[in-house]
Amino acid sequence: MWEYRDKNLNRSAGRRLRMGAGLLGIGFACFNLIPGAVNAAGEASVQSLESGLNALWIMLSAILVLLMQAGFILLEAGSARMKNAGHIAAKTVVTVGLGSLIFWAVGYGLIFGINGNAFIGWGDFFFAPAASAGLPPSVFFTFQLAFAAVSLSIVWGGFAERARLSAYIWFTILFTAFIYPVIAHWIWGGGWLAMHGKQDFAGSTVVHLTGAMAAMAATLLLKPRMNKYHPDGSSRKIKGHNQVYITLGVLLLWVGWFGFNAGSTLSVGDGFFGYVAMNTQLGASAGAVAALAISWLRSGRADVPTILNGMLAGLVAITASCAFVEPWAAIVIGLVAGILVYYSALWFERLRIDDPVSALSVHGVAGIWGTLSNGIFATSALAEKVGVGQGGWLDTGSLHQLWVQAYGILAAGGFAFVSSFVLLYAGKRLVGLRVQAEQECIGLDISEHGEYGYPEHFERADSDMPEPFRTESDEENVKRVSYLPRTFHLR
């Protein structure tokens, strides 16, 4: 019996020993698997966090770029006469809203559609965001939409104070659907200029030069504002009504530009967006200082619009090169832009090209200089980091990148101008571009919208007619334009 019991105990102990060894082996195996599981979970968590931060940064940047529309309203309204201020604010809201719908329906697909070719994109029309492991497509779409809206607002500098509201509407459709997307695809959508290595990090060419060339076409077809030039051909300065508005508008644009340039990194990653923001600030500051200096030297006064235009020119110029150049080069680019914008504005005046908000100088000339500057100052290390083109002449001793930048400007600027001119000319012949002389005389606020942006200012001077003009019909306003107060000079 004891012997049987001992045998049973021995068998039971053996089973427990084998079971313990098996559990111990499983434990060791699990212990060895835990770090892999933890690492996999950790990597997934880090990747998810990085994607979320990228999406948040680009969405914030898109908001900053859209906020620039407030800057455009204040800048353009302040640079115009008060009889057109309400019209300028209203048409900005209308055109950005309409342009957004057109960009959703057509524009985005013509830029980034995957079924396109070197000339134009195709697909993704009526854009429907899909799930993505990287940057959410809806965030990228909103960011790109904000850029298109900025280019569109630049165009209106060539329309200011003399174009019909209907012209703004139909040209918004044409520009957002057929002009801007072509150039954006060439450079940002994988088109032929992108294949050639053209460097335009945030849009000196795509956004600013494109808008400026369309503005030039409009300016040439609309002709100068009434009484802008004397019979002998000399220019008559038509002053804007509010320099504080102009300054606030420029400040809003300055702040929004950090979304414009730094946001174009499309990630938070290694913090490269901070480097881009620093170059942006240096370029803008140098442009303002250069414009102040040239204004003092030439006129003996610190002209406020000149200083502000210099700062904007510095921003426009550094937009193409902010990710490709070193800080000292950003300062040089801004300084040159501030000087160029001063002389180019004088040059356009001599050519009798009426540019009320200096869009051609600020966005056109400075955009050309900023794009060319990559071919001079870009470094090979930064070009490799961004993944576009190569170093400029000072870094490599080669003129190849400068050549690419130059013919990219000719192609993009030429297409924007010619296509805009053709479409605007056709529109001028078919439906008209410019308001009638009487409407321009009393202002676009009342002729296009039925009420002045400053209604209390436009009261009849006669003591027997104390009621403000806004209580009368549009027809009565036109008939009684002679009752306008002496403080308001018709031009």
Side-chain angles (χ1 to χ4, degrees), residues 313-328:
L315 284 167
V316 171
I318 199 61
T319 294
S321 52
C322 52
F324 292 98
V325 302
E326 295 179 352
W328 68 266

Side-chain angles (χ1 to χ4, degrees), residues 83-209:
K83 62 181 180 178
N84 300 310
H87 165 77
I88 288 168
K91 61 84 180 167
T92 301
V93 174
V94 169
T95 55
V96 170
L98 178 59
S100 298
L101 297 178
I102 301 303
F103 191 80
W104 165 75
V106 180
Y108 183 88
L110 293 177
I111 300 172
F112 299 106
I114 60 175
N115 298 321
N117 51 46
F119 183 78
I120 193 69
W122 197 263
D124 289 325
F125 301 120
F126 302 98
F127 181 70
S132 172
L135 190 68
S138 56
V139 173
F140 183 71
F141 169 86
T142 306
F143 187 61
Q144 292 297 327
L145 165 62
F147 277 64
V150 168
S151 190
L152 183 65
S153 291
I154 293 168
V155 177
W156 306 144
F159 284 61
E161 297 203 287
R162 56 207 190 274
R164 297 179 179 180
L165 180 62
S166 60
Y168 287 98
I169 291 173
W170 59 257
F171 192 68
T172 292
I173 298 172
L174 297 175
F175 182 84
T176 312
F178 303 115
I179 299 173
Y180 177 84
V182 172
I183 297 171
H185 176 74
W186 288 356
I187 299 172
W188 289 346
W192 67 277
L193 285 175
M195 297 174 187
H196 291 192
K198 185 179 188 303
Q199 297 169 342
D200 186 17
F201 188 71
S204 288
T205 297
V206 174
V207 177
H208 296 280
L209 182 60

Side-chain angles (χ1 to χ4, degrees), residues 48-64 134-136 139 143 263 266-268:
S48 177
L49 177 61
E50 184 178 1
S51 298
L53 288 174
N54 289 342
L56 181 62
W57 167 236
I58 303 310
M59 193 68 240
L60 176 61
S61 296
I63 293 169
L64 285 172
L135 190 68
V139 173
F143 187 61
L266 298 181
S267 68
V268 293

Side-chain angles (χ1 to χ4, degrees), residues 3 143 206 224 230 363 431 463:
E3 185 177 314
F143 187 61
V206 174
H230 297 293
H363 301 281
V431 296
S463 59

